[in-house]
């Protein structure tokens, strides 16, 4: 991978900053949409929020702006750049930023699906392919990854998350940052983009699962859980962090010095660029913590928001703000320097344009499509299987039925520039993967001619939740499978044919009412461009599913929030009345975090522990063998949990501490070794101090209790 050389010494950058007027500096801290320079942009603009007045952008002000959101393609970005540079006094090129959340034109599974691979290598590569496509289209910064911890699948944005565990979310986010930036020698490479970690912080904890809603939690909960994924991912040095829309302890994060300075900068040591979310500076007025635009801008600037996204209150009010608070100039200068340094690191002063021939070779190329198929396969989770999958070879006449049988709309929300025309539908994938099948596919059973239904050997029900029902601004009170599709499953059952269900969705759905009628269930999330082929390879047994859930499935809509690492209760959940449970629902999720079946009949054995005591400098190693007696080579996900038997402050019933994704060749056994150190056992005690306490811990590997160890001081 080629490294971009600095084209200017830092000294030159400082000189450039010296030459800038105050207005030119504030322009660098402002991000707007692209049509101002080239007029209306058909089929190119992606808007992800309401419009804001950008009234002061006349005359030379427009040519001080630092970055553009929402347009892509080499042609358009080059055009905007050249129009801009013609009139910009200091010829500081524009940065282009975009949301390629799970791919740009080659679309990979939604992040929640990707997280079910548990595989950092896969997430890194997804990000790397995405970065190459973005950079070839003139984009420099990607607003990804999102590591907001989630426990409530009513929130539409769980699809963009990595699920309910903080360690896994942090690690997968870190892997994506690496993949986007493709850092070599600490610099973004020529086909990499700057990553933007978002949304800082705790945006996934909005009360009631409503988007943009208030967050209120203890600092202990924040530092041990909701803050952790950012803390971990920040170690991979994303160039940007985006602040979140929500309030935290009564203050909108966009105006919170505590969040943005004390925690993000001082505690988590982030020293690069902070950008607001879309319109969030202006929205401080809606939160009613600012009485006008000037106050909103001042609050955000003071909190340390470097770039204002889409609204233009910094530009409209900077003179008054600085008159009142001249010390802010120092922070403005620091922010401008970071932005100029990034532009320099990307080589933009040397060449602000992108080669327009590149897109053709980079976008949707065979390698990325092949990888999209692999990623899609590994993100599927086999939730249930009464020996009905894979589809037996003796069944040749297959009927695929349901709203997802023929549709190409399998990209999921945040599909960026992905086109449905490029997507392989489920029925098409089945035809491509096994030409010997006599396959027919209909949206409903009524559409299927009677004799065809009678003659068919096996039915695949293709069900789910439409992609537009999850994503930003798409929270729901009802997360159950719709009644029509429940009826479809009951009707299929009545045919007495063998059948299985394939389900698409952007969130865990609540399936208690229908699960007994589903003998086999493959959860595919939204798999992206190669959806149909990937799923067909799993259904026909060319490959085995191997994903495991990263988010618990509730039984009913009202059983959320639900997550595996709940704290121990004084009255632990069980069937008795006076226990921590709902009276009208079984205890626990329908499918829990970590659940996922394969076709392999894998066996775990030979557990060993290197010692039973952990001290400073003395770790313990836990090893075991994983035997794969099948013909499939696949990725086994081994998960280690601990249970802290007694502690001063309450601990979760179980905590995932380690996991490993191991390739197990067909008919072979591999040994897995996981190490637990004292550091792994730290937690914030009741006085908000990091502590490890002497005592006993149980270890579980997946669902099996395995051994006990103690911490000694
Ligand atoms: C979303 C962000 C996104 C931004 C820019 C906002 O509405 O919350 O996740 O990056 O828009 O499109």
């Amino acid at each position: 991978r080629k490294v971009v050389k600095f084209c200017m010494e830092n000294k030159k950058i400082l000189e450039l900053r010296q030459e800038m007027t105050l207005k030119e500096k504030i322009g660098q801290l402002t991000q707007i949409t692209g049509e101002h320079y080239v007029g209306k942009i058909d089929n190119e603009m992606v808007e992800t929020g309401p419009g804001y007045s950008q009234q002061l952008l006349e005359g030379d002000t427009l040519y001080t702006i630092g970055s553009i959101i929402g347009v892509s393609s080499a042609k358009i970005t080059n055009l905007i750049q050249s129009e801009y540079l013609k009139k910009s006094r200091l010829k500081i090129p524009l940065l282009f930023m975009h949301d390629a959340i799970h791919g740009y034109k080659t679309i990979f599974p939604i992040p929640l699906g990707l997280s079910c691979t548990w595989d950092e290598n896969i997430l890194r590569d997804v990000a790397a392919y995405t970065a190459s496509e973005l950079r070839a289209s003139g984009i420099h910064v990607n607003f990804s990854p999102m590591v907001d911890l989630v426990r409530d699948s009513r929130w539409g944005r769980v699809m963009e998350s990595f699920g309910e565990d903080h360690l896994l979310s942090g690690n997968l986010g870190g892997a994506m940052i690496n993949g986007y930036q493709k850092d070599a020698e600490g610099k973004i490479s020529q086909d990499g983009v700057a990553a933007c970690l978002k949304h800082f912080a705790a945006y996934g904890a909005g009360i009631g699962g409503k988007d943009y809603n208030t967050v209120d939690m203890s600092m202990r909960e924040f530092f041990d859980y909701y803050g952790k994924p950012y803390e971990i991912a920040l170690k991979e040095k994303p160039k940007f962090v985006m602040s979140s829309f929500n309030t935290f302890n009564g203050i909108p994060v966009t105006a919170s010095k505590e969040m943005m300075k004390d925690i993000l900068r001082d505690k988590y040591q982030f020293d690069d660029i902070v950008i607001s979310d879309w319109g969030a500076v202006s929205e401080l007025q809606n939160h009613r913590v600012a009485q006008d635009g000037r106050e909103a801008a001042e609050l955000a600037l003071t909190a340390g928001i470097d770039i204002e996204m889409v609204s233009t209150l910094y530009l409209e009010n900077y003179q008054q703000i600085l008159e009142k608070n001249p010390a802010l100039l120092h922070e403005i200068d620091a922010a401008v320097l970071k932005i100029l340094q990034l532009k320099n690191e990307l080589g933009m002063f040397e060449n602000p344009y992108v080669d327009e021939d590149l897109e053709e070779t980079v976008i949707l190329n065979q390698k990325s499509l092949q990888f999209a198929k692999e990623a899609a396969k590994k993100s599927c989770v086999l939730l249930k299987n009464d020996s009905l999958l894979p589809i037996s070879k003796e069944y040749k006449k297959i009927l695929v039925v349901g709203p997802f049988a023929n549709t190409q709309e399998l990209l999921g929300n945040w599909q960026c520039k992905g086109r449905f025309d490029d997507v392989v539908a489920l029925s098409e994938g089945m035809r491509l993967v096994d030409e010997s099948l006599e396959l027919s596919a209909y949206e409903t059973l009524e559409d299927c001619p009677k004799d065809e239904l009678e003659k068919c050997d096996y039915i695949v029900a293709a069900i789910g939740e439409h992609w537009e029902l999850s994503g930003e601004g798409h929270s729901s009170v009802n997360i159950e499978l719709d009644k029509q599709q429940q009826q479809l499953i009951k009707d299929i059952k009545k045919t007495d044919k063998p059948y299985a269900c394939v389900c698409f969705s952007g969130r865990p759905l609540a399936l208690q009412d229908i699960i007994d009628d589903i003998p086999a269930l493959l959860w595919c999330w939204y798999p992206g461009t190669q959806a149909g082929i990937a799923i067909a390879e799993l259904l026909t047994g060319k490959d085995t599913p191997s994903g495991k859930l990263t988010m618990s499935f509730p039984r009913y809509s009202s059983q959320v929030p639900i997550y595996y690492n709940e704290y121990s209760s004084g009255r632990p959940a069980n069937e008795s009345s006076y226990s921590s449970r709902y009276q009208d629902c079984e205890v626990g999720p329908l499918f829990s975090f970590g659940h996922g079946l394969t076709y392999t009949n894998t066996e775990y054995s030979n557990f060993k522990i290197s010692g039973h005591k952990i001290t400073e400098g003395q770790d313990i190693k836990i090893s075991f063998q994983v035997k794969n007696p099948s013909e499939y080579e696949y990725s086994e996900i081994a998960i280690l949990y601990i249970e802290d038997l007694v502690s001063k402050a309450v601990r979760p019933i179980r905590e995932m501490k380690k996991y490993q994704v191991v390739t197990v060749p067909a008919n072979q056994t591999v040994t897995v070794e996981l190490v637990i150190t004292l550091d792994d056992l730290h937690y914030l005690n009741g006085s908000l101090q990091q502590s490890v306490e002497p005592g006993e811990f149980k270890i579980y590997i997946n669902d099996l209790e395995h051994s006990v160890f103690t911490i000694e001081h």
Side-chain angles (χ1 to χ4, degrees):
R1 282 173 179 161
K2 283 182 225 142
V3 183
V4 175
K5 296 263 180 297
F6 273 126
C7 47
M8 284 198 264
E9 297 288 325
N10 206 39
K11 203 174 110 228
K12 281 261 162 82
I13 297 286
L14 288 167
E15 281 167 16
L16 175 60
R17 188 182 64 177
Q18 192 96 37
E19 271 185 66
M20 294 169 78
T21 63
L22 187 52
K23 186 175 182 179
E24 283 166 338
K25 288 179 183 172
I26 304 293
Q28 289 300 313
L29 308 188
T30 304
Q31 171 164 90
I32 60 169
T33 47
E35 73 281 6
H36 299 278
Y37 303 95
V38 290
K40 198 163 168 287
I41 307 168
D42 284 334
N43 304 325
E44 279 289 343
M45 282 283 296
V46 178
E47 286 181 10
T48 60
Y52 283 92
S53 84
Q54 299 177 337
Q55 41 187 329
L56 282 195
L57 292 178
E58 293 139 4
D60 64 342
T61 311
L62 198 53
Y63 301 92
T64 64
I65 294 294
S67 59
I68 299 293
I69 180 174
V71 285
S72 60
S73 91
K75 208 164 134 226
I76 293 288
T77 54
N78 280 347
L79 185 63
I80 294 175
Q81 191 76 279
S82 76
E83 288 305 307
Y84 175 87
L85 288 176
K86 267 186 220 160
K87 297 200 187 150
S88 129
R89 188 178 75 92
L90 292 170
K91 313 274 172 247
I92 301 172
L94 287 165
L95 277 171
F96 289 89
M97 309 199 192
H98 215 62
D99 291 277
I101 305 305
H102 49 117
Y104 175 70
K105 258 193 187 140
T106 305
I107 304 299
F108 300 93
I110 57 170
L112 188 56
L114 286 173
S115 71
C116 293
T117 68
W118 294 59
D119 192 333
E120 287 163 38
N121 294 326
I122 290 183
L123 278 96
R124 186 177 303 112
D125 289 351
V126 163
Y129 282 112
T130 304
S132 303
E133 291 196 356
L134 281 170
R135 195 71 191 268
S137 308
I139 302 297
H140 308 105
V141 182
N142 192 16
F143 295 131
S144 170
M146 169 179 124
V147 295
D148 302 325
L149 199 71
V150 294
R151 294 172 171 177
D152 187 336
S153 53
R154 287 173 302 179
W155 192 41
R157 302 195 80 167
V158 301
M159 60 146 300
E160 297 169 59
S161 81
F162 301 131
E164 70 198 41
D165 185 82
H166 50 292
L167 295 179
L168 184 65
S169 297
N171 291 343
L172 298 182
M176 284 196 100
I177 292 168
N178 264 319
Y180 287 134
Q181 300 194 159
K182 307 188 191 183
D183 288 338
E185 297 167 26
K187 300 284 164 267
I188 298 173
S189 78
Q190 269 168 9
D191 60 347
V193 292
C196 176
L197 184 69
K198 68 189 189 185
H199 309 80
F200 193 83
Y203 180 38
I207 294 173
K210 270 196 295 182
D211 210 350
Y212 318 119
N213 206 14
T214 304
V215 170
D216 204 0
M217 67 174 62
S218 71
M219 290 321 281
R220 178 169 183 249
E221 185 74 354
F222 180 76
F223 286 122
D224 265 358
Y225 297 99
Y226 283 88
K228 270 281 176 230
Y230 313 107
E231 187 185 0
I232 296 170
L234 282 168
K235 299 210 163 75
E236 301 308 320
K237 302 234 166 290
K239 290 284 174 189
F240 285 78
V241 166
M242 187 186 293
S243 55
S244 56
F245 284 125
N246 54 282
T247 59
F248 190 94
N249 288 343
I251 309 292
V253 172
T254 315
S256 169
K257 265 170 81 177
E258 184 191 12
M259 272 288 151
M260 304 316 297
K261 288 193 169 158
D262 303 349
I263 300 179
L264 179 65
R265 299 251 184 238
D266 297 347
K267 189 169 165 60
Y268 292 165
Q269 302 275 296
F270 177 69
D271 60 6
D272 235 314
I273 307 164
V274 170
I275 185 164
S276 81
D277 204 340
W278 177 290
V281 176
S282 176
E283 288 165 15
L284 291 176
Q285 297 167 87
N286 301 344
H287 279 293
R288 297 196 280 138
V289 297
Q291 65 178 358
D292 53 23
R294 186 203 55 73
E295 200 180 358
E298 184 177 350
L299 281 171
L301 267 176
T302 313
I305 306 293
D306 298 325
I307 299 181
E308 175 184 9
M309 186 193 287
V310 178
S311 53
T312 51
L313 298 177
Y314 284 7
L315 267 174
E316 289 165 35
N317 299 289
Y318 69 92
Q319 279 150 326
Q320 282 169 290
I321 294 172
L322 281 163
E323 253 166 50
K324 192 176 140 210
N325 186 355
L328 270 178
L329 187 58
H330 180 70
E331 297 190 28
I332 290 169
D333 273 342
V336 170
L337 184 63
K338 285 180 288 186
I339 294 164
L340 296 180
Q341 281 168 336
L342 175 64
K343 291 180 176 182
N344 192 35
E345 178 176 335
L346 289 163
M348 293 175 65
F349 290 103
E350 213 170 40
N351 180 9
Y353 301 105
V354 56
D355 172 359
E356 290 185 19
D357 294 333
L358 212 60
E359 279 171 325
E360 176 118 2
T361 52
V362 174
I363 289 177
L364 283 171
N365 68 24
Q366 275 316 310
K367 265 178 84 181
S368 55
L369 286 173
Q370 176 63 25
F371 189 71
K373 181 179 94 175
E374 287 313 307
K377 268 199 285 192
K378 291 202 162 146
S379 65
C380 293
V381 186
L382 183 60
L383 291 177
K384 186 173 173 187
N385 191 9
D386 295 342
S387 305
L388 278 149
L389 285 174
I391 301 170
S392 158
K393 299 263 176 294
E394 75 198 58
Y395 299 142
K396 289 293 171 206
K397 296 194 182 87
I398 312 285
L399 172 65
V400 186
V401 66
F404 291 84
N406 286 319
T407 180
Q408 288 176 294
E409 296 193 22
L410 299 178
L411 298 177
N413 214 323
W414 291 105
Q415 50 205 234
C416 204
K417 289 296 170 78
R419 287 178 308 223
F420 293 138
D421 282 353
D422 293 322
V423 178
V424 185
L426 177 58
S427 51
E428 180 62 9
M430 300 277 286
R431 287 189 188 101
L432 290 170
V433 164
D434 188 345
E435 285 175 356
S436 75
L437 296 178
E438 280 176 51
L439 193 117
S440 49
Y442 301 95
E443 277 206 9
T444 65
L445 264 189
E446 293 69 48
D447 293 342
C448 174
K450 268 219 160 60
D451 60 325
E452 219 174 284
L453 179 60
E454 265 156 32
K455 277 192 224 142
C456 86
D457 302 323
Y458 188 102
I459 301 176
V460 176
I463 56 171
E465 188 183 74
H466 194 269
W467 65 268
E468 278 173 315
L469 293 177
S470 54
E472 184 177 352
H474 288 88
S475 293
S476 303
V477 285
N478 184 351
I479 51 170
E480 282 152 42
L481 189 67
D482 70 48
K483 289 276 176 285
Q484 239 178 335
Q485 295 189 68
Q486 295 201 22
Q487 191 55 49
L488 170 69
I489 294 169
K490 289 183 193 298
D491 292 344
I492 292 174
K493 188 177 179 184
K494 278 193 220 135
T495 65
D496 272 338
K497 309 266 182 191
Y499 68 99
C501 293
V502 166
C503 194
F504 300 87
S505 80
R507 56 157 64 87
L509 297 181
L511 301 170
Q512 182 71 47
D513 284 343
I514 193 67
I515 193 66
D516 288 345
D517 295 324
I518 300 179
L521 177 59
L522 183 68
W523 206 265
C524 302
W525 308 109
Y526 271 97
T529 313
Q530 296 290 74
I533 301 206
I535 298 167
E537 290 192 359
L538 298 177
L539 293 178
T540 56
K542 287 215 156 48
D543 226 325
T544 171
S546 59
K548 288 192 173 172
L549 290 182
T550 57
M551 207 179 165
S552 303
F553 273 51
R555 294 169 188 275
Y556 295 105
S557 302
S558 45
Q559 207 192 2
V560 293
I562 190 164
Y563 50 101
Y564 85 97
N565 50 353
E566 273 188 333
Y567 286 133
S568 304
S569 155
R571 298 203 172 170
N574 57 41
E575 300 311 323
S576 81
S577 295
Y578 295 107
S579 91
S580 175
R581 65 174 190 118
Y582 296 105
Q583 61 179 344
D584 51 354
C585 178
E586 271 174 63
V587 167
L590 186 61
F591 299 111
S592 109
F593 176 86
H595 174 71
L597 308 169
T598 61
Y599 301 152
T600 60
N601 294 318
T602 294
E603 294 157 26
Y604 280 59
S605 66
N606 227 350
F607 294 99
K608 287 193 186 126
I609 185 161
S610 65
H612 290 273
K613 281 180 194 144
I614 296 193
T615 52
E616 194 66 61
Q618 189 186 324
D619 309 335
I620 55 171
K621 294 186 183 61
I622 289 124
S623 66
F624 47 89
Q625 289 190 321
V626 178
K627 181 175 169 200
N628 169 15
S630 75
E631 296 302 321
Y632 296 101
E633 170 167 311
Y634 83 110
S635 296
E636 173 67 16
I637 303 164
I639 311 171
L640 182 151
Y641 302 89
I642 61 157
E643 182 186 339
D644 188 347
L645 295 190
V646 181
S647 48
K648 291 212 172 75
V650 176
R651 302 300 302 143
I653 300 168
R654 289 216 292 184
E655 307 171 62
M656 197 260 289
K657 283 293 169 195
K658 289 284 145 99
Y659 58 89
Q660 200 169 307
V661 183
V662 268
T663 305
V664 203
N667 292 308
Q668 287 199 28
T669 299
V670 298
T671 301
V672 178
E673 187 179 274
L674 301 169
V675 179
I676 304 185
T677 70
L678 205 55
D679 273 355
D680 294 324
L681 304 167
H682 277 261
Y683 79 106
L684 278 193
N685 64 20
S687 346
L688 285 189
Q689 262 142 15
Q690 282 287 347
S691 67
V692 271
E693 292 162 8
E696 229 176 30
F697 295 77
K698 272 188 192 162
I699 296 175
Y700 298 80
I701 305 293
N702 300 335
D703 285 330
L704 294 176
E705 184 178 332
H706 161 40
S707 192
V708 173
F709 67 89
T710 57
I711 296 184
E712 293 206 339
H713 273 326

